[in-house]
Amino acid sequence: MADSTGLQFVSPYAFAAMQKVDVVRLAALSDPELRLLLPCLVRMALCAPADQSQAWAQDKKLILRLLSGVEAVNSIVALLSVDFHALEQDARKEQQLRHKAGGSNGESILVSQLQHGLTLEFEHSDPLRRLRLTLSELLAIMNKVADSNGEFFLKSSELFESPVYLEEVADVLCILQAELPSLLPIVDVAEALLHVRNGDWFLCLLVANVPDSFNEVCRGLIKNGERQDEESMGGRRRTEALRQLCQMNPSQALNIRAMVVEECHLPGLGVALTLDYKPDMADEAVSPLVSYVSGLLLGTNGKVRTWFSMFIRNGQQRKRESSSVLWQMRRQLLLELVAILPRSRSTHVPNDSDMGEESSSGYSGLREEHVVKASALLRLYCALMGIAGLRPTDEEAEQLLQLMTSRPPATPAGVRFVSLSFCKLLAFPTLVSTPEQEQLMVMWLSWMIKEEEYFESAAGVSASFGEMLLLVAMYFHSNQLSSIIELVCSTLGMKIAIKPSSLSKMKTIFTQEIFTEQVVTAHAVRVAVTNNLSANIQGFLPIHCIYQLLRSRAFTKHKVSIKDWIYRQLCETTAPLHTQLLPLIDAYINSILTPASKANPEATNQPITEQEILNVFQSSAGQGEGGRGGRLRYTITTQLLILYYILSYEENLLSSTKALALMQKKPKSYSATLMDQIPIKYLVTQALGLQQELGGLHSALLRLLATNYPHLCLVEDWVCEEEVTGTLPLLRRMMLTSNTCRYTQSQLHQAFQKLPSSSPRLMRILEHLTLLSPGDLIPYAEALTASTALLLEPAVPRRILQTLNKLWMGLNTVMPRRLWVMTVNALQPSAKLLRQQRYSQNDLMVDPLIVLRCDQRVYRCPPLMDIVLHMLNGYLLASKAYLHCHLKETADFDRQNQTVSSLGLAGQPDTPEVTREELKNALLAAQDSAAVQILLEVCLPTSEEQQLGASTESLLKSMRAPPGKATPGYPVAGAGPGARRSGEQAEPEGGLLSDLREVQCLICCLLHQMFIADPNIAKLVHFQGYPQALLPLTVAGIPSIHICLDFIPELLAQPQLEKQIFAIQLLSYLCTQYALPKSLSVARLATGVMGTLLTVLTRAKRFSFFMPTLPCLVAFCQAFPPLYDDVAALLVQVGQVCASDVATKARDIDPLIARLQYLKEKPQEVLLPGGGSSKLSLPQRTAEELGGSDPDVQLCYRVEATFMDIISSSLNGL
């Protein structure tokens, strides 16, 4: 506002005195300064104060004394003597009148007709009329502002423009606002004053006389302001007014600037306030202007960034004006840049001797205290040019290039400055426009390469700019320009739009003058690995460079070995895991297995040797599956990475066998001996607790284990791990003090050897071991497993066996493979029966059934049988994975060899692959079914147990019919329901609580899991068949056996009579256990099959078939009463066929036929009411008599007995 130049504004000193009502400071003001504050001071002196303290009374006297000598006070006192209430009423009436008239300047209630201009009227008027004149003019402006809809206008007002009466008008304005605050809100008055000349001066006087309204006025002006203030005259006037207010109260300037950013209005004001702000210590910190503009453009608020970028872009479109805030900002930034430039810098390119003098004398060196400022300026200019679209002038570009090619001291800040300068060159290559500038840049890049190692060692940082140079060179060679752009944006910390085409000049310089590809690979191998590499180390590291070179296959192309570097870097890692390590390992494995080109299949990297891998695990060779040793030499992170490398290498090798076979190339696989020495499960368990620090390594290891080592991923093991690592075990271990670990392995071994006399001591030792963590149990593993066979003696307490089982399951969570081998070898039969053999891990994977060739006593020791079943399940899975890998390893190479050898031969069959797969599946099926059959055989009671009364039916009795009902499959010729009840009553004392029962439950649980995992196993086992005595056990104990209903029809269709009998017996138990619609349909089918077979079987086969299957019809009818008619018809038909055969031998069988017909037609009359005896008595015959009878006679009596059982069971169920 140039119109207010020459007017005296309120000084910061005077405003501070008014804010604090500091009378002493007010008294020190000059008369012109005091004149501006008179309205407030006079009101303060005349009005009754709220503060009645003595101190204020004294201050008030001083103010009166201060005002007593000022002549203008009298006119202000006269103004205060007016009736403001009447004045306000007239003003409101005038507002209503104007509102009705549509805002036109018609009649005025406040001011009658003016005889002269406003200025003369004001001069000749009394105080009241002066108030009316000013109020009328002010209200007119305020109304026009309200009706302008945001469009700026400048109101020409004689009253506010006359320099003679400005002070009197200001007095009237201040008094009006103070006395009529509801009519004249100070924010609205301030807004109106922007539309008159000298408005900023009036505004400052108004706020100075009401100092507590400063923030309110500023916020109102900012909120009503324009988004881009330099675009319009109104915006510039508003900015200038707020700038004058902040000069009057500089302590609030930064707060006002914060309001500007918050509202995203008046960006020029924010910059102007920053330019006006002078810090106390300018040389010791980054300048306020750099900090402010950088915060706007590089902050997280996208709205603010867009708003300020628009300010920069719009400001460049106008002609260069010295008064423009944008050009003032650019000039200030350039001055700051020039101030920190090294002296004597120019675009002159010195020769080699000059360079030597430079390095020795410090020529062109950036001072250490200026490095941070220089980095901040570089980032700011990057943001201005890349985000806000600033187009630098020639002078700015020249000075920027001088700064970027400066040589900072070897400090961490210096490394950061060089990285920023390099990235700025890549982001804005247009800064280099002349050949001299290009030569200067090349010399600077050469200096970077030469000084990189010195900077890294002197600065003490792991991430230097050398790695970035190397990485950019690799990207240029592989034409990955998008990766260079990402690298630049990441280093600068901002997203900049860089066109790949703009990098063509830099690409030429890098690939042809500075870094050829051979130089890149040779240099990369010599770069030292990063010590203690972790995610905490930021920046670009050697690992980034090696990774890119591996991806581009530069090492194999130029025959440079990288294996040793990668191995050293993997050994120098720690948590948290660096994100580049897993991609590095994957790229390395790919470079080992896949040649760089088909023309040169030998162009691959070398894998890490087995000895190097063993060195990593040698400190933990006693740990996990290999025991537990002393202090770790390598970190757990290194060991997990090496484990990931091995597992991933083996998986990729299997998946690449076909491609490798075509190239007649077979990389070496790691031996099983090596894998046995690596504590896989222990390491994965450790990784589970470090998931936050290891990133995705734990999940990647689990994926590889599930593929290659499924026996280490059993669900039961995971559940057991939860029990071992849960809250309760942790609390128990917290109670275990370090000095209580007093038992050694030898003491444990001795306690085992002295069993059973040492049972109490052994129990104490084992109970103590349960308090230890699985990792701490590892040293005791050998002593625990070696003496397991001693626990099979009869006098060993059950509690010791259960505790040993618990300890074994805990050890199984950390060292399963080695533990399994030790346990299998320990449970072999004694040397008296069989020559003992020490089995290896490979032996057990090839033949999992070795696990079941243990001491027979184990089969009646439930805690140890649980362990054996766990191992069997694991080795069956391991065998599947082993055979799959073996087939995959050899199939492709063998087929390729056959193809090569059979060239030229016609009619060569292409079936080896199919044959191999079929043989493998057949072997696995035979293996699984053999295991199931052995386990089922174990469930049968021994002869001693049978003598004691044990029966496999015991498991079923608790779940089947109550006493008196038939048990299908177990009838004896001539035995009725009463005989079966007496058999149940003969069950030995102790009932179901026996070792056999517990072993049966364990086996049924495992079979249930196996049937669920592969239903084909259940089908194969039941097609093979097993003892009929086991059917009650399997049907009741294996929940998933109901799937047999799917293939029983197929089993019934088999030609072998034994399979048909087994199918019907199995179906009878399934119908009772699972009375489902599907069971009904299969039972109806079975009844039909029996009827069909009756007509085709010979006399001998008929007896063999129907004697065991007829009692099964009892279960059919018991489960499904609708089948009664079909079953009864079948029984009569069987009886008739048999009776006809008997009749040919002149035997009287008619009474039997008559009884069968009667049973079929009137079954309800067979039993008397009250359960009495039958009307048709069944003759009692001894077993000897029946045994010597004719087969048809026996079958006839079996039919009759079946009828009676059906009727008895149905009537008992009513």
Side-chain angles (χ1 to χ4, degrees), residues 32 55 58 84 267 313 331 432 483 508 560 563 614 644-645 740 743 819 913 1071 1094 1123 1200 1212:
Q58 294 297 325
F84 285 98
R313 288 189 174 91
R331 188 62 189 167
V432 181
S483 299
T508 303
V560 177
K563 184 258 294 182
L614 282 176
Y644 173 79
Y645 159 76
T740 59
Y743 297 112
L819 180 69
E913 180 67 20
C1071 287
L1094 177 63
L1123 286 179
E1200 187 175 10
N1212 286 333

Side-chain angles (χ1 to χ4, degrees), residues 1034-1087:
T1034 55
V1035 172
I1038 305 175
S1040 56
I1041 204 169
H1042 64 82
I1043 62 176
C1044 295
L1045 291 169
D1046 295 333
F1047 55 78
I1048 282 180
E1050 188 179 349
L1051 190 56
L1052 286 170
Q1054 296 298 308
Q1056 294 87 356
L1057 208 59
E1058 296 80 7
K1059 292 186 178 180
Q1060 294 171 337
I1061 294 171
F1062 181 77
I1064 293 173
Q1065 291 174 333
L1066 171 63
L1067 179 59
S1068 68
Y1069 287 96
L1070 288 174
C1071 287
T1072 307
Q1073 188 75 16
Y1074 304 102
L1076 305 171
K1078 188 171 187 178
S1079 305
L1080 172 60
S1081 63
V1082 179
R1084 184 174 282 117
L1085 172 66
T1087 306

Side-chain angles (χ1 to χ4, degrees), residues 552-849:
S552 62
R553 307 307 297 270
F555 292 112
T556 51
K557 194 183 300 181
H558 297 284
K559 299 181 179 178
V560 177
S561 176
I562 194 59
K563 184 258 294 182
D564 293 334
W565 190 96
I566 291 178
Y567 177 73
R568 291 198 307 271
Q569 184 61 83
L570 293 180
C571 293
E572 283 290 338
T573 56
T574 184
L577 187 72
H578 196 281
T579 54
Q580 201 64 42
L581 282 166
L582 294 185
L584 175 76
I585 294 174
D586 293 336
Y588 174 54
I589 293 172
N590 183 57
S591 71
I592 295 172
L593 300 176
T594 309
S597 63
K598 293 182 179 179
N600 187 11
E602 299 301 322
T604 56
N605 283 312
Q606 295 300 313
I608 300 174
T609 64
E610 291 193 2
Q611 185 57 48
E612 288 173 327
I613 292 173
L614 282 176
N615 291 339
V616 173
F617 297 104
Q618 66 181 358
S619 56
S620 60
Q623 288 193 22
E625 294 158 35
R628 190 171 179 86
R631 180 179 178 272
L632 285 176
R633 178 183 169 190
Y634 295 97
T635 63
I636 187 70
T637 310
T638 296
Q639 294 178 340
L640 287 169
L641 287 171
I642 294 293
L643 175 61
Y644 173 79
Y645 159 76
I646 299 171
L647 296 178
S648 186
Y649 175 84
E650 293 294 329
E651 185 182 57
N652 281 275
L653 181 60
L654 285 177
S655 62
S656 306
T657 49
K658 188 170 291 186
L660 294 171
L662 292 173
M663 293 184 290
Q664 294 293 304
K665 186 175 183 294
K666 187 174 183 180
K668 184 179 179 182
S669 176
Y670 288 108
S671 65
T673 307
L674 171 68
M675 302 307 297
D676 289 343
Q677 297 182 66
I678 299 176
I680 297 177
K681 190 62 180 292
Y682 175 79
L683 292 173
V684 174
T685 305
Q686 295 296 311
L688 177 63
L690 299 171
Q691 286 190 71
Q692 296 294 331
E693 297 181 348
L694 295 179
L697 180 56
H698 178 257
S699 57
L701 287 173
L702 280 184
R703 178 184 62 81
L704 292 169
L705 281 185
T707 305
N708 302 298
Y709 293 88
H711 51 295
L712 299 183
C713 299
L714 297 176
V715 177
E716 308 92 273
D717 289 348
W718 288 338
V719 174
C720 184
E721 285 176 22
E722 293 293 330
E723 296 174 358
V724 172
T725 59
T727 306
L728 190 58
L730 180 62
L731 292 174
R732 293 182 65 192
R733 287 186 210 115
M734 290 172 62
M735 297 187 294
L736 186 69
T737 56
S738 58
N739 56 4
T740 59
C741 301
R742 57 185 181 275
Y743 297 112
T744 63
Q745 293 95 308
S746 61
Q747 289 174 320
L748 177 62
H749 182 71
Q750 290 172 7
F752 270 114
Q753 296 300 321
K754 294 179 181 179
L755 279 174
S757 59
S758 61
S759 295
R761 174 170 173 76
L762 178 60
M763 193 65 240
R764 285 197 303 272
I765 297 175
L766 294 179
E767 286 290 346
H768 166 76
L769 294 181
T770 59
L771 298 176
L772 302 179
S773 65
D776 294 330
L777 276 177
I778 293 174
Y780 299 92
E782 192 165 352
L784 285 170
T785 55
S787 306
T788 307
L790 298 174
L791 300 178
L792 296 172
E793 298 301 326
V796 177
R798 173 63 180 255
R799 186 176 176 187
I800 289 180
L801 289 166
Q802 290 177 327
T803 308
L804 178 72
N805 177 279
K806 182 178 180 181
L807 293 172
W808 192 94
M809 291 299 176
L811 282 168
N812 185 62
T813 62
V814 290
M815 49 172 293
R817 295 181 301 153
R818 184 164 175 259
L819 180 69
W820 294 356
V821 174
M822 291 192 298
T823 307
V824 169
N825 287 321
L827 290 177
Q828 289 187 69
S830 62
K832 296 177 183 177
L833 301 177
L834 187 68
R835 183 177 61 84
Q836 287 190 327
Q837 177 185 353
R838 306 299 294 179
Y839 295 108
S840 66
Q841 185 78 23
N842 193 63
D843 296 334
L844 293 165
M845 285 197 296
V846 172
D847 184 8
L849 299 182

Side-chain angles (χ1 to χ4, degrees), residues 193-212:
L193 290 175
L194 295 178
H195 296 75
V196 298
R197 299 190 185 280
N198 304 313
D200 55 345
W201 183 81
F202 281 108
L203 181 57
C204 287
L205 258 64
L206 179 63
V207 173
N209 282 276
V210 194
D212 56 343

